[in-house]
Amino acid sequence: MARSAILNVMVQAAMKAGRSLSRDFGEVQNLQVSMKGPGDYVSQADRKAEEILFTELSKARPGYAFLMEERGLIEGDDGQHRWIVDPLDGTTNFLHGIPLFAISIALERQGQIVAGVVYNPAMDELYTAERGGGAFMNDRRLRVAGRTKLIDTVIGCGVPHLGRGQHGNFLVELRNVMAEVSGVRRLGSASLDLAYVAAGRMDGFWETGLSAWDVAAGILLIREAGGFISDFAGGQNMLDGGSIVVGNEIIQRALLKTVRKPVAPR
């Protein structure tokens, strides 16, 4: 596949940060770890990867703004472009030696995501997408799965942990979905969940309580792989609203209806 200059910048930054994460993943027991909140960790590895990404992306496009998980919003002189970056999506997995974590980089231009990269260095899986150019994993073209009945599907989800989210609401959603599908999976990294749906590995995904850096790159992967996506209200406020439901056209619609319906009384 031919990549644009800007996507090459994003890929090279992700690969460099990925090498740093891979080294730290092999020495995870030696990392300094602190808590941002209940069940919410940040490690020395997160900070090093974010510094690499900030440096590489700033060097390539000095005027662009940033929205980063650890540094927050950094204004730029450009006014049209913003990097949305998660240096380590799946920190808890990373700290427990589970190789399901990723670097997520999206480029937003005038409010629209135009390029995205999700990279899992533990498995050396690089997911890329450009608006209008398709989605790829290690240069293989991606397409969402074609199943049309919920009963045949495997659906991903996010599970709210200690101090996060509406646990009761999630249990209602899960009970509704469990009754309709072949299987439910929880990977622990929203960016990888979205990449897996784009690759056809899972048929759909839903989660609430997300931040823009969790989903920005994945949103473009889904769209460029032929998938459909909305927030829980059926709109397109995924970056700011924190909720997301994805799948192919039929499964996304059915999944949205399923997670939103109340539990029938027993």
Side-chain angles (χ1 to χ4, degrees):
M1 58 165 286
R3 296 188 186 123
S4 68
I6 195 67
L7 188 58
N8 274 325
V9 165
M10 297 165 70
V11 167
Q12 292 306 312
M15 300 288 277
K16 187 170 183 178
R19 289 191 290 272
S20 175
L21 288 179
S22 293
R23 287 191 295 270
D24 286 335
F25 190 58
E27 301 289 337
V28 69
Q29 69 276 7
N30 298 324
L31 289 176
Q32 294 179 354
V33 180
S34 57
M35 291 187 70
K36 295 188 286 186
D40 192 7
Y41 300 94
V42 60
S43 72
Q44 185 180 9
D46 295 71
R47 295 191 175 101
K48 282 199 297 184
E50 187 167 275
E51 178 62 32
I52 290 168
L53 294 169
F54 180 75
T55 299
E56 293 298 310
L57 296 174
S58 296
K59 184 169 59 178
R61 297 292 187 274
Y64 289 12
F66 282 84
L67 179 62
M68 311 184 82
E69 181 172 13
E70 308 306 335
R71 297 183 183 215
L73 179 62
I74 302 170
E75 298 290 352
D77 298 328
D78 177 88
Q80 304 294 314
H81 296 85
R82 180 171 70 160
W83 299 112
I84 304 176
V85 178
D86 191 340
L88 177 51
D89 183 27
T91 300
T92 302
N93 282 351
F94 183 90
L95 294 174
H96 285 78
I98 300 170
L100 292 172
F101 55 88
I103 295 159
S104 177
I105 308 170
L107 177 60
E108 184 182 49
R109 177 180 297 138
Q110 296 178 330
Q112 292 190 323
I113 305 299
V114 296
V117 170
V118 173
Y119 179 48
N120 177 356
M123 296 182 176
D124 195 28
E125 290 187 344
L126 176 70
Y127 300 85
T128 59
E130 289 188 88
R131 190 177 178 205
F136 298 82
M137 192 271 283
N138 292 354
D139 298 332
R140 178 175 64 85
R141 186 74 180 252
L142 299 182
R143 191 75 186 170
V144 294
R147 296 177 186 88
T148 58
K149 297 179 181 178
L150 279 178
I151 196 171
D152 297 325
T153 62
V154 169
I155 301 296
C157 68
V159 180
H161 55 68
L162 174 68
R164 176 75 66 86
Q166 299 289 329
H167 293 194
N169 288 350
F170 170 74
L171 291 174
V172 171
E173 296 159 12
L174 180 61
R175 184 175 171 187
N176 288 339
V177 174
M178 285 166 53
E180 301 286 344
V181 305
S182 178
V184 179
R185 302 289 183 267
R186 195 282 202 254
L187 299 184
S189 168
S191 64
L192 282 182
D193 282 305
L194 294 171
Y196 277 29
V197 175
R201 293 175 173 174
M202 297 193 299
D203 299 279
F205 170 71
W206 93 95
E207 188 169 1
T208 61
L210 293 163
S211 298
W213 48 77
D214 297 316
V215 299
I219 286 171
L220 190 63
L221 286 171
I222 293 291
R223 288 175 173 157
E224 291 297 323
F228 286 71
I229 188 164
S230 77
D231 58 28
F232 263 43
Q236 294 296 304
N237 190 33
M238 291 82 66
L239 290 184
D240 297 324
S243 65
I244 198 165
V245 183
V246 308
N248 66 31
E249 183 176 10
I250 295 171
I251 295 302
Q252 194 274 340
R253 190 185 308 124
L255 181 58
L256 178 62
K257 182 179 179 180
T258 300
V259 297
R260 291 173 60 182
K261 71 180 181 182
V263 173
R266 288 183 292 179

